Amino acid sequence: TARVVEHKNARLAIIEDDKFLRDLIVRKLTNEGFDVKEAETGEDGLAMIRENPPQLLLLDILLPGMSGYDVLDALRKDEQLHGLPVVMLSNLGQKEEVERAESLGAKDFLIKAKYTPGEIVSRVKEILNELYM
């Protein structure tokens, strides 16, 4: 049987500029006992992550200023953070988008239109279980 991660200790971060969606996901994750930090832009998100690295990052691709790809690229070049598991959130599901995210080391790629916030939370838990079992 898979050992469930002790969620109380799991620190998550989300970088998403859609406030409505971000609030929904943050609320659901918080209700599950996760400690969630949030940012609206790539720049703010990177600063937040460098200050207090999470165990998993939910990252939107289309952000004002720095894109999710730029954030992912910056993480991969950062010695402290290059191993951080990242789940991309996107409205873009084109093959090249997914491949680009994977080539930059994203752990998963969730198309927002196909996942409810609840399903996103379930996927986050699955990934945490795979990573930290």
Side-chain angles (χ1 to χ4, degrees):
T1 53
R3 185 173 71 78
V4 176
V5 172
E6 188 45 66
H7 293 175
K8 300 287 171 270
N9 313 333
R11 283 188 323 280
L12 305 178
I14 180 168
I15 305 175
E16 165 63 76
D17 62 332
D18 176 338
K19 184 174 172 3
F20 180 74
L21 180 65
R22 191 178 71 239
D23 287 349
L24 263 177
I25 294 174
V26 168
R27 195 174 325 125
K28 283 195 177 296
L29 288 167
T30 306
N31 288 343
E32 293 282 343
F34 291 105
D35 171 16
V36 191
K37 300 273 181 279
E38 53 185 298
E40 215 166 307
T41 67
E43 290 84 351
D44 290 351
L46 262 181
M48 170 181 83
I49 290 165
R50 287 191 168 126
E51 206 170 290
N52 187 8
Q55 284 163 303
L56 185 118
L57 169 65
L58 285 163
L59 176 60
D60 184 20
I61 290 179
L62 295 175
L63 293 164
M66 201 177 180
S67 78
Y69 293 126
D70 297 335
V71 172
L72 201 50
D73 195 43
L75 290 173
R76 294 304 166 238
K77 291 181 174 138
D78 185 308
E79 246 165 58
Q80 263 64 57
L81 299 169
H82 68 90
L84 173 66
V86 177
V87 175
M88 303 302 277
L89 294 174
S90 180
N91 287 321
L92 312 163
Q94 286 87 354
K95 194 162 172 272
E96 51 280 16
E97 301 288 339
V98 178
E99 281 171 1
R100 185 171 171 198
E102 282 173 355
S103 73
L104 285 166
K107 197 95 193 112
D108 205 348
F109 192 104
L110 306 182
I111 296 161
K112 291 182 209 175
K114 293 186 183 167
Y115 286 84
T116 65
E119 288 169 329
I120 292 173
V121 170
S122 300
R123 186 66 195 117
V124 164
K125 287 163 127 179
E126 277 172 25
I127 292 169
L128 285 169
N129 285 335
E130 287 162 21
L131 291 169
Y132 300 106
M133 260 170 69

